[in-house]
């Protein structure tokens, strides 16, 4: 074999062997990570489920991390009870995992208070506005992640799409919590609705974010004459998406969501974040951290993809005729 051909062949073998060597190195150690949700049951934090954790765990597997082989995952849920968040984070900190994934600004603030050493990856709203980090590009400290925040204009965009679908909309209910994120959402929504000449009715969810709280909220909105419902993008609402869809149907209230998953199970429409994309990036960040990268040096990944999804079956069930304008803009129509 000529020397040049030998060098090319050797390079090809090295290129093929590199990922195998990396995987073999990973297999020599069992990594420990924690997944911490404010409300999602631990049984839903798996690769086969319909939640964004599917994308997170699938990407970790693609990167060579296999649960029960070289990866141990501890799952924690706050059960929708904000009063439990402090102790929940304390429990995780005591476990001292190699890295943490969390999906709540409120939990992220707790982690910021309780640890400066455990690497934290958050899938959250605006971490700068909440004082979690000083910069998305250079987070500093032990926290990085992905952010679903696209600026206040996204609330106006969702409201405009809802108005296009319901031209006579004048009174709108809203489902947000009394958490710091919920308060920010409520303020943005009030500003957007005021500019649009739409009255908001109802009140934020308080206490434990369970079925009783959501039922009371929907009943109050219906009694106040709401013609539609705006669902905030808090993780508690994502965890309770099936419940909000059922309550919207019960009260015959068309609703717009920030999650396509809600429309897939019967919600009317969503201007939706691409959660699988975000959670895949979160897995990539966990991978980098486990390989030695510091969260301080990993920029927050910002949401870039949105999709308008409309469920015509739900519109028909509610007796609504969706105009051509929102249908023409839709990325997906469920018929």
């Amino acid at each position: 074999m000529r020397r040049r051909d030998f060098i090319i062949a050797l390079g090809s073998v090295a290129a093929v062997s590199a990922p195998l060597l990396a995987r073999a190195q990973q297999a020599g150690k069992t990594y420990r990570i924690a997944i911490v949700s404010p409300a999602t049951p631990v049984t839903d934090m798996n690769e086969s489920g319909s939640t964004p954790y599917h994308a997170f765990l699938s990407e970790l597997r693609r990167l060579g991390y296999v649960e029960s082989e070289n990866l141990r995952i501890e799952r924690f849920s706050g059960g929708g009870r904000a009063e439990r968040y402090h102790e929940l984070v304390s429990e995780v900190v005591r476990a001292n995992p190699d890295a943490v994934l969390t999906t709540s600004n409120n939990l992220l603030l707790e982690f910021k208070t309780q640890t400066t050493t455990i690497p934290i990856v958050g899938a959250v709203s605006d971490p700068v506005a909440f004082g979690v980090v000083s910069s998305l590009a250079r987070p500093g400290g032990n926290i990085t992640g992905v952010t679903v925040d696209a600026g206040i204009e996204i609330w106006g965009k969702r409201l405009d799409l809802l108005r296009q679908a319901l031209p006579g909309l004048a009174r709108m209910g809203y489902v947000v919590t009394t958490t710091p994120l919920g308060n920010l959402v409520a303020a943005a929504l009030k500003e957007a609705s005021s500019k649009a000449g739409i009255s908001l009715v109802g009140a934020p969810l308080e206490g434990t974010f369970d079925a009783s709280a959501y039922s009371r909220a929907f009943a109050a909105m219906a009694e106040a004459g709401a013609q539609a419902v705006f669902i905030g993008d808090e993780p508690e609402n994502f965890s309770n998406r099936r419940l909000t869809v059922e309550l919207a149907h019960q009260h015959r209230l068309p609703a717009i969501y920030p999650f396509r998953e809600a429309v897939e199970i019967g919600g009317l429409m969503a201007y939706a974040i691409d959660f699988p994309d975000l959670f895949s990036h979160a897995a990539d960040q966990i991978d980098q951290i486990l390989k030695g990268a510091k969260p301080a040096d990993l920029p927050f990944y910002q949401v870039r993809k949105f999709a308008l999804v409309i469920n015509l079956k739900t519109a028909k069930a509610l007796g609504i005729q969706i105009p051509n304008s929102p249908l023409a803009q839709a990325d997906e129509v469920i018929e």
Side-chain angles (χ1 to χ4, degrees):
M1 179 183 289
R2 290 183 300 172
R3 181 174 181 273
R4 178 175 177 275
D5 293 336
F6 174 77
I7 293 173
I8 292 173
L10 186 61
S12 299
V13 170
V16 171
S17 300
L20 297 177
L21 287 171
R23 183 168 297 197
Q25 291 168 351
Q26 291 175 346
K29 175 182 178 181
T30 298
Y31 297 92
R32 295 174 55 243
I33 67 171
I35 299 176
V36 190
S37 168
T40 300
V42 294
T43 52
D44 290 345
M45 300 177 196
N46 56 66
E47 195 172 343
S48 60
S50 60
T51 70
Y53 296 108
H54 167 79
F56 174 75
L57 295 170
S58 294
E59 179 66 8
L60 283 180
R61 178 180 288 274
R62 189 190 70 80
L63 292 166
Y65 302 94
V66 181
E67 194 168 5
S68 299
E69 293 185 14
N70 63 346
L71 181 65
R72 177 182 168 192
I73 302 176
E74 297 174 78
R75 296 163 169 85
F76 300 82
S77 174
R81 297 170 56 188
E83 70 275 12
R84 287 198 58 224
Y85 293 172
H86 177 81
E87 179 54 36
L88 183 69
V89 169
S90 296
E91 184 180 352
V92 178
V93 170
R94 288 194 295 270
N96 195 32
D98 297 314
V100 172
L101 171 73
T102 187
T103 56
S104 163
N105 284 81
N106 305 307
L107 288 171
L108 205 59
L109 285 168
E110 282 288 351
F111 276 112
K112 181 179 176 68
T113 300
Q114 296 195 36
T115 179
T116 59
T117 56
I118 299 174
I120 312 294
V121 172
V124 294
S125 185
D126 188 346
V128 175
F130 281 92
V132 175
V133 297
S134 58
S135 167
L136 294 179
R138 294 184 176 277
N142 62 319
I143 296 174
T144 188
V146 298
T147 172
V148 302
D149 184 72
I152 192 171
E153 64 273 10
I154 200 66
W155 302 105
K157 175 67 174 178
R158 289 191 175 114
L159 185 57
D160 182 59
L161 289 168
L162 185 60
R163 288 183 67 199
Q164 289 182 47
L166 306 168
L169 180 61
R171 295 172 67 80
M172 183 178 71
Y174 62 107
V175 179
V176 300
T177 68
T178 51
T179 62
L181 174 56
N183 293 335
L184 189 66
V185 172
L189 185 56
K190 287 175 181 177
E191 181 179 340
S193 61
S194 177
K195 290 179 180 178
I198 295 174
S199 299
L200 288 183
V201 298
L205 295 167
E206 294 186 296
T208 300
F209 308 126
D210 57 10
S212 296
Y214 280 91
S215 295
R216 288 193 300 270
F218 271 84
M221 289 185 287
E223 186 176 350
Q227 298 164 297
V229 179
F230 193 106
I231 309 295
D233 65 355
E234 296 134 284
E236 292 84 357
N237 287 341
F238 182 86
S239 298
N240 288 286
R241 62 196 179 281
R242 187 171 296 277
L243 176 61
T244 60
V245 168
E246 291 172 354
L247 288 169
H249 279 274
Q250 178 183 325
H251 293 283
R252 298 193 62 77
L253 288 171
I256 186 166
Y257 298 80
F259 327 113
R260 71 175 298 128
E261 291 84 355
V263 181
E264 291 171 351
I265 58 175
L268 177 64
M269 61 190 298
Y271 190 58
I273 297 162
D274 188 338
F275 278 116
D277 174 65
L278 285 176
F279 275 68
S280 292
H281 279 278
D284 292 339
Q285 291 172 330
I286 291 283
D287 171 51
Q288 293 180 63
I289 288 167
L290 295 180
K291 290 176 177 175
K294 297 183 183 300
D297 302 325
L298 297 178
F300 265 83
Y301 176 80
Q302 293 180 269
V303 63
R304 298 173 185 175
K305 300 177 182 178
F306 290 86
L308 174 60
V309 186
I310 299 174
N311 191 322
L312 286 184
K313 291 195 297 184
T314 298
K316 183 178 180 180
L318 293 172
I320 297 170
Q321 180 69 44
I322 303 290
N324 289 332
S325 177
L327 288 176
Q329 299 174 63
D331 298 279
E332 182 180 350
V333 175
I334 298 173
E335 300 188 71

